[in-house]
Amino acid sequence: MEKLRYERPIIRRLDSEMPNKFGMRTDYRPTTQIDGVPVKSLIDKFGSPLFVISEKVLRSQYRKARKAFTTRYPKVQFAWSYKTNYISAVCNVFHQEGSWAEVVSGFEFQKALGNGVKGSKIIFNGPDKSEEDLEMAIQHNALIHIDHLEELYTLTELAERHNTKPRVAIRVNMDTGVYPMWDRFGFNYENGQAWDALNKILHSGRLELVGLHCHIGTFMLSAQAYAVAAGKLAELAIGVQRKFNHTIKYIDMGGGFTSRNTLKGAYLPGTDTNPSFDDYAEAITTALLNADFSSEFLPTLVLETGRALVDDAGYILGTVISNKRSSKGKRITIVDIGVNLMFTSFWYDHKVTPAQEFTQYTEDTTLNGPLCMNIDVLRESVSLPLLNKGDNIVVHSVGAYNMTQWMQFITLRPAVVMIDNDGNPHIIREKENLNSVNGQERIPNHLDHFEL
Ligand SMILES: *Cc1c(COP(=O)(O)O)cnc(C)c1O
């Protein structure tokens, strides 16, 4: 074994931050490899920082989720939430597994088409669909989930103009006992607007009502909330069956399941408290099976799970730039991963592990990124061994939203690598270069020269 570097003993001032009855610690094992590929070799080859996605974890998460639902309910269909991570290789893993696409903009719709998803297997959500977007969706026979009355009227008019009957669902929001309620998307259940919208659609006869949709929130810590939501959508579907003798083909429960992350300020780590796929599946399928559907009219259950499928498959690797002490004496370690790449660090205490062996001394450390911004904090306080310049770290569960919400600020976005099932890394998104930014810019003639 390699002789470890001498570290002087330290006297540690006791800080009262983040107390926990288990004395929450960082996972005291280094993450030296991901799916058998050494972290150091990934950084040597592709640079630092670097996003890494495990195809193995993507597939196993998907299969786990699918199994939880298909063992409890006869008709289940997943649709990959593009905005959670729309790097094409990631989307295609889910499409290979049988997932449709769930998109929330014209851009995402085109990305799904580009990936080879048939329009009829694209669910089009979101509050801002332009007339052109809706025409594209109609042309491709997509499933259009109506968000508000203006959209319903535009769609009715387009249906008439094109002499077609677009396939639609409405998005419904409701009180599920979790607050604050997400009531700005879709039609509210309790105040009757959802029922109004259904009546307008069915009486007009110009749209083909095929589904009911909800997406009650994200990182939902309560599985029970889904049971409430499923029950309310079932009520609406049964109401439609009774009044119009019209069968709703699917009930779409959206996404929002948790990953293994820990919300900031949580008392216990997410790995201990977050519901499992089985918990969510049990809540949702029980509510649907117990509703008044006869077997022949049992709707297909659609799930648009994003975060729970991709988050734990994503890592970001980084390198230590320097160490310093704060005015209070607390250790600050600066790494090359900024909040521009880890938007989710504003909400989660992401697990951070060193990528090399270390000694037993640890210290509460603030982990800062490299940006010239005071808010560039990856972890306020995390127990870490002494890390030196050039050491590497691995941040866990960053596969959801970071690769779509990342910001191009001060520096360029790094490469994204996927490790396939056989342990081969593939670049799935190139590192950006100067032209990624300058290519979009135009300089007016009078500004293209100067003398200094
Ligand atoms: C964002 C979103 C999802 C996915 O949510 P997750 O929290 O990532 O599971 C699903 N459906 C809709 C309508 C969304 O907006």
Side-chain angles (χ1 to χ4, degrees):
M1 190 183 141
E2 195 190 341
K3 186 164 183 274
L4 292 176
R5 190 179 2 225
Y6 170 76
E7 283 172 10
R8 65 175 171 76
I10 46 170
I11 295 173
R12 192 178 308 165
R13 166 171 159 159
L14 288 178
D15 252 319
S16 57
E17 283 161 306
M18 295 295 287
N20 180 303
K21 72 175 174 180
F22 303 124
M24 182 141 38
R25 313 193 318 169
T26 299
D27 205 329
Y28 281 160
R29 268 165 311 173
T31 306
T32 56
Q33 46 93 11
I34 296 169
D35 290 357
V37 187
V39 168
K40 300 271 178 196
S41 77
L42 288 167
I43 287 179
D44 284 348
K45 194 159 173 200
F46 304 106
S48 175
L50 179 71
F51 277 103
V52 177
I53 294 174
S54 161
E55 182 180 344
K56 203 192 269 178
V57 177
L58 290 181
R59 290 189 191 271
S60 68
Q61 285 296 94
Y62 179 87
R63 286 172 194 182
K64 232 185 275 174
R66 194 174 174 283
K67 186 174 160 196
F69 283 91
T70 54
T71 49
R72 292 173 167 87
Y73 197 82
K75 293 186 273 181
V76 177
Q77 177 62 54
F78 280 79
W80 173 242
S81 157
Y82 266 51
K83 79 174 188 297
T84 311
N85 189 321
Y86 45 59
I87 294 181
S88 296
V90 172
C91 299
N92 286 1
V93 168
F94 293 119
H95 297 322
Q96 281 185 354
E97 292 285 334
S99 247
W100 293 358
E102 184 271 329
V103 304
V104 289
S105 66
F107 153 71
E108 286 189 354
F109 195 101
Q110 287 175 324
K111 206 156 194 306
L113 286 177
N115 284 341
V117 183
K118 273 199 239 110
S120 61
K121 300 194 168 172
I122 300 178
I123 293 172
F124 196 3
N125 282 313
D128 178 24
K129 308 181 192 80
S130 68
E131 218 173 286
E132 296 79 62
D133 293 340
L134 289 171
E135 281 186 316
M136 170 170 64
I138 292 172
Q139 203 178 34
H140 286 93
N141 193 25
L143 297 157
I144 304 170
H145 288 188
I146 302 170
D147 186 82
H148 45 72
L149 281 179
E150 280 68 22
E151 190 174 298
L152 197 164
Y153 298 140
T154 307
L155 208 49
T156 307
E157 193 193 323
L158 289 174
E160 206 174 330
R161 200 187 306 158
H162 294 278
N163 198 22
T164 55
K165 209 168 174 189
R167 296 188 303 156
V168 302
I170 62 162
R171 175 159 174 178
V172 180
N173 69 67
M174 70 279 282
D175 186 348
T176 61
V178 173
Y179 309 101
M181 240 169 90
W182 275 27
D183 58 3
R184 59 166 279 208
F185 303 107
F187 301 90
N188 186 251
Y189 175 85
E190 285 81 17
N191 72 10
Q193 287 182 347
W195 184 240
D196 293 349
L198 292 172
N199 277 282
K200 286 183 202 298
I201 291 170
L202 287 159
H203 277 304
S204 95
R206 297 217 169 263
L207 307 172
E208 175 69 23
L209 180 72
V210 288
L212 293 172
H213 171 236
C214 70
H215 173 61
I216 59 177
T218 194
F219 212 82
M220 300 295 287
L221 290 161
S222 158
Q224 191 48 34
Y226 286 91
V228 175
K232 288 181 176 175
L233 290 189
E235 279 297 309
L236 288 175
I238 288 156
V240 162
Q241 184 78 48
R242 283 211 187 103
K243 178 165 172 185
F244 296 95
N245 195 25
H246 179 89
T247 305
I248 297 285
K249 295 205 174 70
Y250 67 87
I251 284 189
D252 179 345
M253 294 303 298
F257 302 161
T258 59
S259 64
R260 290 162 68 86
N261 261 314
T262 303
L263 277 172
K264 278 194 172 195
Y267 185 62
L268 292 167
T271 41
D272 293 356
T273 54
N274 298 350
S276 64
F277 287 128
D278 287 308
D279 296 331
Y280 292 118
E282 188 65 25
I284 291 170
T285 59
T286 305
L288 291 181
L289 293 170
N290 287 359
D292 267 347
F293 296 114
S294 61
S295 273
E296 64 188 305
F297 293 132
L298 196 66
T300 296
L301 169 58
V302 176
L303 297 149
E304 304 170 341
T305 308
R307 184 194 306 279
L309 299 183
V310 75
D311 213 15
D312 301 325
Y315 304 83
I316 181 163
L317 318 182
T319 306
V320 174
I321 297 169
S322 76
N323 283 297
K324 53 176 77 170
R325 293 266 162 206
S326 76
S327 57
K328 280 191 345 191
K330 184 162 176 181
R331 192 153 66 98
I332 297 173
T333 296
I334 302 167
V335 295
D336 61 358
I337 305 168
V339 292
N340 56 325
L341 303 178
M342 263 187 58
F343 213 73
T344 53
S345 58
F346 293 122
W347 290 281
Y348 303 104
D349 279 340
H350 284 284
K351 175 174 153 185
V352 179
T353 49
Q356 53 281 309
E357 296 292 338
F358 47 85
T359 58
Q360 81 253 37
Y361 289 111
T362 60
E363 197 178 339
D364 272 344
T365 305
T366 299
L367 211 53
N368 279 136
L371 307 179
C372 301
M373 294 197 306
N374 208 36
I375 57 161
D376 193 17
V377 185
L378 295 190
R379 290 290 303 266
E380 301 299 339
S381 199
V382 53
S383 174
L384 281 174
L386 236 161
L387 293 165
N388 295 298
K389 177 178 157 63
D391 283 348
N392 297 121
I393 60 162
V394 177
V395 186
H396 301 251
S397 297
V398 297
Y401 296 101
N402 288 303
M403 281 158 260
T404 47
Q405 294 183 324
W406 48 8
M407 283 180 283
Q408 189 273 306
F409 175 66
I410 306 186
T411 168
L412 300 163
R413 296 179 181 92
V416 182
V417 164
M418 180 183 282
I419 301 177
D420 69 20
N421 285 347
D422 300 322
N424 304 308
H426 304 265
I427 288 195
I428 58 168
R429 191 175 194 274
E430 291 283 354
K431 189 192 287 199
E432 290 179 346
N433 56 35
L434 190 57
N435 195 50
S436 316
V437 177
N438 280 356
Q440 296 303 108
E441 296 191 17
R442 300 291 176 265
I443 300 179
N445 276 341
H446 70 289
L447 293 178
D448 80 351
H449 57 274
F450 52 78
E451 278 166 41
L452 285 176

